[in-house]
Amino acid sequence: MPELTELEARLTQLAPELDWPTTPDLSHSVSVRITMRRAWYQSRWAIAAAAAIVALAALLAYAPARDTIAGWLNLHTRIQRVGQLATPTPQPPGPLGQRLGLGGLTTLEQARGALTWTVLVPSSLGQPDEVYLQLPPIAPPQGEVTLVYSERLGIPTSGQTGVAVLVTEARGAVNAQFFGKILGPATTIEDVTVGGHHGYWIAGKPHIIYLTDTQGNIRDETLRLATNTLLIDEGGTIVRIEGDLTKAQVLQIAASL
Amino acid sequence: MEGRPEDVELFARAQRGDTAAYEEIVQRYQQLAFRTAYVITGSAAEAEDAAQEGFVKAYRALATFRAGAQPRPWLLRIVANEARNRVRSAARRHQLELRVAEGFRPGDAAPSPEAAAVAAEDRRRLLGAVNELSEEDRQVINCRYFLELAGDETAATLGILEGTVKSRLSRALARLRARVEGGAPGTGSARPGAPRGDVPPQEEGSRA
């Protein structure tokens, strides 16, 4: 369309004429901040990475463990076991969605309209108090939705998230990984089956969770401590249920999906 | 847009813990990062905060930057994500209003006063028409033509797929052309604070 080409040329010519606000010099302020944070940052990753490499090498050398890792991959989740769990810095204050990297606040109806797959809602928890939607390329290829539940009967508010239960759901291409977990020695992981669907129950001491984007990059804002978590494959939808929950409670929630 | 070899080297050094190299990266990209955040937030103060926070987060995430990858989309994604988060959590939304710099004169000609006035009016009308588009249309045009971002960089900035950038840009240009050629009411007379299209709670465009 020649008209558009001409219009595009006019827009391009306009670019150098724009009156942008003066760009502040950020190099000094950024330099100060990264220098202040350098010690904990390098320490955390050095410990986690070194321990993860050793632990992963040990796991891979043991035949049954290879099967387990393959199972984990089917849940689009990379799980690493480390000898010492470094502690991420506390989450900054702010709205829940921003603090936990959940995406934009929306409604269940809008989230369902924006996604091509079925968003599951656990009937035992009732309607979620808040719903967040994250889309690619930040989220997995087919998007990610998080249902947020405030305190429910018998389920306290979690000190890690500030809410009672988080239910995160996503679908992705085969072999894509979009959840990552780093488990210390005081965190247990066990196979579970709910309604014929396979999953893992991660409990005990809080573990580190992070989410990745479609490029496989760690979404930095999502790196935090997580409490007890159930990961389950509900017919291709990976459901992650997190809260200060007992195994019986989480299995009941998962069974009501 | 190809990343320059020096960028690759700088990132490699920064990944090895060279903070001076990262400081140079910040200096090199701070204008692009700030303007990108400004396009999203519509506020210079918010843009400064978002760009600064984005650079700090990018530093913390350097371990996830893949060697040989293009740094611009990676940085823009982080900064833009920070800017979007600030817009979402802000009590009120700023309306971006780009303007032509005062006293700007094209350098390749010495037009008559009349011709200069006509050209200036033409630029003002075009920018006014851009400013009156919906936020979605404005952002994709701002990214592609005013920030001069490549398709993948625009996709990273807006949090959408590259294919969606093309379709969204095509629609935005068609609407802009209709405004410019059709003389839609208000065209060329950008009104600060004038209502625009509703802003969706979350970017569309994951399935274009």
Side-chain angles (χ1 to χ4, degrees), chain A residues 3-4 7-8 10-12 14-27 29-31 33-34 37-38 40-42 89 95 98 103-106 110 113-116 133-138 213 215 217-218 220-221, chain B residues 17 22-23 26-27 30-31 34-35 38-39 44 48 51-53 55-57 59-60 64 66 74 77 81 84-85 88-89 98-101 104 122-123 126-127 130 145-147 159-161 173 176-177 180 201-203 206-207:
Chain A
E3 295 90 350
L4 289 188
L7 182 58
E8 289 178 289
R10 289 173 63 195
L11 288 167
T12 303
L14 199 51
E17 304 184 24
L18 294 177
D19 185 18
W20 294 97
T22 304
T23 301
D25 182 8
L26 300 172
S27 58
S29 55
V30 171
S31 180
R33 289 186 60 190
I34 64 178
R37 305 189 78 144
R38 194 177 174 196
W40 71 259
Y41 159 78
Q42 291 191 328
T89 51
Q98 180 180 334
L105 184 63
T106 184
Q110 286 176 325
L115 299 170
T116 56
L133 180 64
Q134 190 80 272
L135 293 174
I138 298 171
D213 62 18
Q215 305 298 313
N217 297 317
I218 294 175
D220 187 56
E221 77 279 13
Chain B
Y22 194 71
E23 197 169 326
V26 174
Q27 284 175 342
Q30 60 187 3
Q31 182 180 78
F34 171 73
R35 289 182 177 181
Y38 180 66
V39 160
E48 180 175 352
Q52 183 188 126
E53 191 63 30
F55 277 121
V56 172
K57 287 190 171 180
Y59 181 80
R60 291 167 56 192
T64 69
R66 286 181 296 185
W74 184 80
R77 180 185 64 83
N81 194 35
R84 277 196 300 274
N85 284 339
R88 287 188 189 114
S89 60
L98 291 173
R99 290 185 170 82
V100 176
F104 181 88
D122 183 58
R123 291 195 298 272
L126 179 59
L127 192 55
V130 172
Y145 302 109
F146 298 161
L147 293 172
I160 57 180
L161 298 177
L173 286 170
L176 177 62
R177 185 179 52 159
V180 171
Q202 172 79 29
E203 307 91 319
S206 59
R207 300 182 307 282

Side-chain angles (χ1 to χ4, degrees), chain A residues 20-101:
Chain A
W20 294 97
T22 304
T23 301
D25 182 8
L26 300 172
S27 58
H28 177 68
S29 55
V30 171
S31 180
V32 168
R33 289 186 60 190
I34 64 178
T35 305
M36 285 171 59
R37 305 189 78 144
R38 194 177 174 196
W40 71 259
Y41 159 78
Q42 291 191 328
S43 161
R44 184 188 74 195
W45 281 104
I47 293 170
I53 289 167
V54 171
L56 205 57
L59 280 170
L60 290 170
Y62 180 55
R66 281 202 293 271
D67 296 335
T68 308
I69 289 170
W72 292 340
L73 292 180
N74 287 341
L75 284 168
H76 299 281
T77 305
R78 178 177 187 177
I79 298 181
Q80 297 164 292
R81 174 74 81 172
V82 297
Q84 179 183 347
L85 190 69
T87 305
T89 51
Q91 290 291 305
L96 181 75
Q98 180 180 334
R99 189 158 37 90
L100 302 184

Side-chain angles (χ1 to χ4, degrees), chain A residues 72-79 101 117 134 136-145 168-181 209-219 222-223 231-233 236-240:
Chain A
W72 292 340
L73 292 180
N74 287 341
L75 284 168
H76 299 281
T77 305
R78 178 177 187 177
I79 298 181
W117 44 276
Q134 190 80 272
I138 298 171
Q142 295 184 56
E144 170 192 284
V145 68
T168 303
E169 301 176 23
R171 290 176 79 95
V174 175
N175 294 332
Q177 293 174 11
F178 39 83
F179 293 126
K181 288 179 174 292
I209 178 174
Y210 58 87
L211 278 61
T212 62
D213 62 18
T214 52
Q215 305 298 313
N217 297 317
I218 294 175
R219 285 164 50 196
T222 66
L223 193 152
L231 275 168
I232 195 158
D233 180 350
T237 299
I238 308 306
V239 183
R240 181 181 167 281

